[in-house]
Amino acid sequence: DQQVKQNSPSLSVQEGRISILNCDYTNSMFDYFLWYKKYPAEGPTFLISISSIKDKNEDGRFTVFLNKSAKHLSLHIVPSQPGDSAVYFCAASLSNAGGTSYGKLTFGQGTILTVHP
Amino acid sequence: EAGVTQFPSHSVIEKGQTVTLRCDPISGHDNLYWYRRVMGKEIKFLLHFVKESKQDESGMPNNRFLAERTGGTYSTLKVQPAELEDSGVYFCASSHRRALNEKLFFGSGTQLSVL
């Protein structure tokens, strides 16, 4: 049973336009969400995160939106650049009692983003 | 500061053989994790070490997989005997004790192909 799903295997966007990557989860106990970016032959690298007490977090060109009632989050990249072309993974975690978790993440399948010049 | 290092980067073996993957975490990181991505699917958690102790091994597929972290430094993941479905990319990650998820650093992975 896959608890985090990215239903779009790929997304193609023109440079300068907005990229929207979507993610759905089923476990309502998840309370921390992250997006990772992965280039070929490299490991995933952290991009942006959001706690379940928020509905939006912004970092430069990247914004993550969380809709808890719908168990849905999305990553917006504006404007998109060719260097953003990579695989994007959505991940979720359960916080421990101390408010931090210990790296046990549940990932989605990934979405391949291609940004055309 | 050196990142998480994994050896080998690629391994091709035949079904029934044994393979050992190695991970060197970032120096000083007590937490070490193994993850696996099979056939372009999701990245799945395998297990978590805190220093030399197994904190959580709930994601290990079966007893053909053995992970060790002697001395709390580098870790090895042995698959014996390997089966076709073990093919995939094995990622190692590390972090400081009680670090937030954002401070989880991944290695480049080992691409394992079982023929």
Side-chain angles (χ1 to χ4, degrees):
Chain A
D1 178 36
Q2 195 173 340
Q3 299 185 69
V4 177
K5 294 183 181 180
Q6 295 175 253
N7 292 316
S8 297
S10 63
L11 175 67
S12 183
V13 172
Q14 203 70 29
E15 180 179 7
R17 305 295 290 269
I18 184 171
S19 295
I20 300 176
L21 297 101
N22 294 302
C23 177
D24 297 291
Y25 61 97
T26 57
N27 188 343
S28 58
M29 297 299 290
F30 287 140
D31 65 355
Y32 206 82
F33 304 89
L34 307 93
W35 284 93
Y36 281 81
K37 180 168 71 173
K38 183 187 175 308
Y39 292 118
E42 294 183 10
T45 56
F46 169 73
L47 187 59
I48 192 169
S49 62
I50 188 166
S51 165
S52 61
I53 62 173
K54 296 184 177 181
D55 55 17
K56 176 183 175 181
N57 187 29
E58 190 172 353
D59 183 3
R61 297 185 298 113
F62 303 91
T63 303
V64 56
F65 295 91
L66 175 63
N67 183 333
K68 284 179 59 179
S69 61
K71 295 190 181 69
H72 177 84
L73 62 157
S74 61
L75 174 68
H76 293 211
I77 307 174
V78 182
S80 301
Q81 300 173 353
D84 296 329
S85 298
V87 181
Y88 288 78
F89 290 95
C90 170
S93 74
L94 302 167
S95 291
N96 68 357
T100 60
S101 59
Y102 294 98
K104 184 177 182 180
L105 303 177
T106 301
F107 284 88
Q109 313 96 300
T111 296
I112 302 171
L113 173 66
T114 304
V115 181
H116 298 283
Chain B
E1 179 181 74
V4 177
T5 308
Q6 293 187 244
F7 303 99
S9 57
H10 293 80
S11 180
V12 181
I13 62 172
E14 292 188 353
K15 175 182 174 181
Q17 290 186 322
T18 297
V19 63
T20 300
L21 314 181
R22 172 169 169 149
C23 169
D24 286 75
I26 293 172
S27 177
H29 281 191
D30 288 338
N31 290 317
L32 187 149
Y33 307 83
W34 284 97
Y35 282 84
R36 177 175 74 169
R37 189 184 190 206
V38 174
M39 292 200 52
K41 295 185 178 179
E42 69 271 25
I43 301 171
K44 282 193 172 181
F45 168 85
L46 297 179
L47 88 158
H48 170 206
F49 284 101
V50 177
K51 295 186 178 179
E52 67 275 9
S53 300
K54 291 178 184 175
Q55 184 79 12
D56 182 347
E57 52 183 328
S58 61
M60 293 289 265
N62 50 61
N63 59 11
R64 295 185 294 103
F65 289 75
L66 175 63
E68 295 180 321
R69 192 182 182 194
T70 306
T73 55
Y74 71 91
S75 175
T76 58
L77 180 64
K78 185 191 313 188
V79 185
Q80 179 182 29
E83 298 289 343
L84 299 179
E85 63 265 25
D86 301 333
S87 296
V89 182
Y90 290 77
F91 292 105
C92 176
S94 73
S95 69
H96 280 296
R97 178 87 173 180
R98 301 190 70 83
L100 297 178
N101 288 319
E102 290 86 337
K103 297 301 183 183
L104 185 65
F105 297 93
F106 283 83
S108 299
T110 294
Q111 173 76 60
L112 175 63
S113 299
V114 183
L115 307 179

